[in-house]
């Protein structure tokens, strides 16, 4: 029997009614999983930057991701929808521009001037921008608990990455110009990410998550490729460095691009940006803990405290008073 697939309720749904859930059904859980995966990208991106410039590294990453989707989706019998309206194409273009064409070159460019842990800390501002944009452009109400949660997450992230190299970078006069360059580029990346989140919420009404991921990634690749070709080539590196960079590139393309964006776009299709903005904080502790595990960075009290504060902020963002869950009217039967 030929299988048909639907984007409702799960990624795969057979024609005879049997559903196979490969991912969590909760939008919050999907967003949390996506951001845990993206937390691993900081260290991997740093490895690719040792071989390629930011434009080339980004273009190669998404080229591999696009080819992977073209090869795998037909095998899984998951068709890619074609945007049918001018509005749908316009939204895809904005996502491709903000979420791919600007976000990754700005973030990778920032990491050429500042440590990856500091980059992760600055990117913590993105959830705050998401709340502001969602309120202004989507008309969402802003509960005080979510604003407090975002603030706690930012404070926790600053505490998390404050020991060691970040403090030295901030107070060393010789590195202040580089710090400023890295800060401005990364803030630009944070704003671009927030814009892409809000537009994705609107675009999810026109396209399913895989189609939205594919077309926006193609738009981003079209913007990145000319810049990559114009980028100055770096000096040749050793075989070991090249091998590590290629492995990191494949990891970024498959897991941090295709897989993570599929579940992130799905999360935005079934819930609001405001509901999942706080999950973006989890990237920083993941990045820092990976640095401890793989790069031999020290585990400090500040890291433990910052991680705990971010975890509490994520929990607080989902907390609702019991009264809010009670019915507004009570039916009395005689």
């Amino acid at each position: 029997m030929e299988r048909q697939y639907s984007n409702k309720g799960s990624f795969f749904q057979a024609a005879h009614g049997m559903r196979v859930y490969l991912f969590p059904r909760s939008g919050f859980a999907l967003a949390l999983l996506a951001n845990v995966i993206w937390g691993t990208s900081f260290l991997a991106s740093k490895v690719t930057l040792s071989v390629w410039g930011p434009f080339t590294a980004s273009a190669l990453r998404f080229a591999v991701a696009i080819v992977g989707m073209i090869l795998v989706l037909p095998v899984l019998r998951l068709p890619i929808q074609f945007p049918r309206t001018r509005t749908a194409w316009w939204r895809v273009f904005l996502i491709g521009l903000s979420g791919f064409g600007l976000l990754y070159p700005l973030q990778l460019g920032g990491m050429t001037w500042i440590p990856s842990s500091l980059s992760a800390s600055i990117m913590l501002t993105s959830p705050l921008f998401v709340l502001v944009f969602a309120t202004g452009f989507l008309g969402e109400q802003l509960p005080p608990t979510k604003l407090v949660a975002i603030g706690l997450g930012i404070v926790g992230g600053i505490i998390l990455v404050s020991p060691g190299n970040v403090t030295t970078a901030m107070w060393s006069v010789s590195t202040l110009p580089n710090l400023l360059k890295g800060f401005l580029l990364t803030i630009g990346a944070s704003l671009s990410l927030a814009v892409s989140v809000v537009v994705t919420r609107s675009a999810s009404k026109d396209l399913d998550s895989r189609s939205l991921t594919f077309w926006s990634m193609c738009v981003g690749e079209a913007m990145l490729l000319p810049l990559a070709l114009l980028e100055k080539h770096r000096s040749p590196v050793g075989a070991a460095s090249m091998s590590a960079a290629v492995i990191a590139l494949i990891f970024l393309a498959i897991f941090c691009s295709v897989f993570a964006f599929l579940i992130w776009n799905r999360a935005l299709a079934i819930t609001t940006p405001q509901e999942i903005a706080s999950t973006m904080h989890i990237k920083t502790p993941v990045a820092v803990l990976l640095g401890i595990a793989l790069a031999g960075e020290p585990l400090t009290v500040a890291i433990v405290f910052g991680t705990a504060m971010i975890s509490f902020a994520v929990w607080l963002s989902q907390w609702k008073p019991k009264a809010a869950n009670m019915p507004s009217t009570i039916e009395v039967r005689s």
Side-chain angles (χ1 to χ4, degrees):
M1 178 183 294
E2 182 180 355
R3 292 177 179 265
Q4 296 177 354
Y5 297 91
S6 169
N7 197 45
K8 297 181 179 180
S10 67
F11 277 97
F12 310 126
Q13 182 177 357
H16 52 71
M18 181 183 70
R19 292 185 178 185
V20 181
Y21 294 103
L22 299 184
F23 305 107
R25 297 176 66 184
S26 162
F28 179 82
L30 286 169
L32 192 65
L33 176 59
N35 280 284
V36 167
I37 296 171
W38 281 326
T40 67
S41 68
F42 290 91
L43 188 59
S45 296
K46 200 74 173 178
V47 175
T48 63
L49 287 175
S50 65
V51 175
W52 302 293
F55 292 117
T56 303
S58 299
L60 287 173
R61 169 180 174 174
F62 296 121
V64 173
I66 291 169
V67 170
M69 293 186 73
I70 291 174
L71 294 177
V72 173
L73 289 181
V75 175
L76 297 176
R77 296 183 181 180
L78 295 174
I80 297 175
Q81 298 176 351
F82 198 82
R84 296 181 179 180
T85 66
R86 183 177 300 178
T87 299
W89 272 116
W90 176 243
R91 288 168 176 166
V92 166
F93 173 80
L94 285 179
I95 297 170
L97 172 64
S98 58
F100 296 95
L102 291 177
L103 170 60
Y104 289 94
L106 287 173
Q107 187 174 354
L108 292 178
M111 280 196 286
T112 61
W113 300 105
I114 59 177
S116 59
S117 56
L118 180 55
S119 174
S121 178
I122 297 171
M123 289 300 293
L124 285 169
T125 59
S126 194
L128 186 58
F129 294 140
V130 168
L131 292 186
V132 173
F133 293 161
T135 302
F137 296 104
L138 300 180
E140 296 182 4
Q141 298 298 318
L142 182 59
T145 54
K146 294 192 181 298
L147 190 58
V148 171
I150 297 297
L152 287 175
I154 292 174
V155 173
I158 293 173
I159 293 174
L160 193 65
V161 299
S162 60
N165 56 5
V166 176
T167 303
T168 301
M170 291 180 67
W171 294 106
S172 174
V173 175
S174 61
T175 57
L176 278 178
N178 292 345
L179 177 65
L180 181 60
K181 294 176 185 177
F183 174 81
L184 292 176
L185 288 171
T186 311
I187 280 291
S190 180
L191 284 166
S192 298
L193 175 57
V195 170
S196 72
V197 169
V198 173
V199 179
T200 297
R201 172 62 178 173
S202 298
S204 63
K205 301 174 184 177
D206 304 317
L207 295 169
D208 58 53
S209 58
R210 62 181 176 273
S211 302
L212 186 56
T213 300
F214 177 80
W215 290 114
S216 58
M217 201 176 289
C218 287
V219 171
E221 179 67 13
M223 298 175 182
L224 290 169
L225 190 58
L227 297 173
L229 294 175
L230 293 174
E231 192 169 43
K232 183 179 179 181
H233 294 288
R234 297 190 174 182
S235 302
V237 296
S241 297
M242 179 59 73
S243 298
V246 170
I247 293 173
L249 180 72
I250 294 174
F251 172 79
L252 289 169
I254 302 302
F255 291 98
C256 299
S257 297
V258 176
F259 184 69
F261 273 105
L262 280 174
I263 59 178
W264 174 255
N265 288 342
R266 174 61 181 164
L268 283 168
I270 60 179
T271 190
T272 64
Q274 192 181 97
E275 288 296 320
I276 62 176
S278 62
T279 64
M280 301 165 77
H281 286 147
I282 206 68
K283 289 184 288 189
T284 301
V286 171
V288 173
L289 292 175
L290 274 180
I292 294 171
L294 302 180
E297 298 177 1
L299 177 63
T300 65
V301 174
I303 288 176
V304 174
F305 184 72
T307 301
M309 182 173 287
I310 289 176
S311 300
F312 175 74
V314 173
W315 173 84
L316 180 63
S317 71
Q318 296 301 297
W319 178 79
K320 296 179 181 179
K322 292 183 178 180
N325 297 325
M326 295 178 63
S328 57
T329 60
I330 299 176
E331 181 180 357
V332 179
R333 296 182 179 179
S334 57

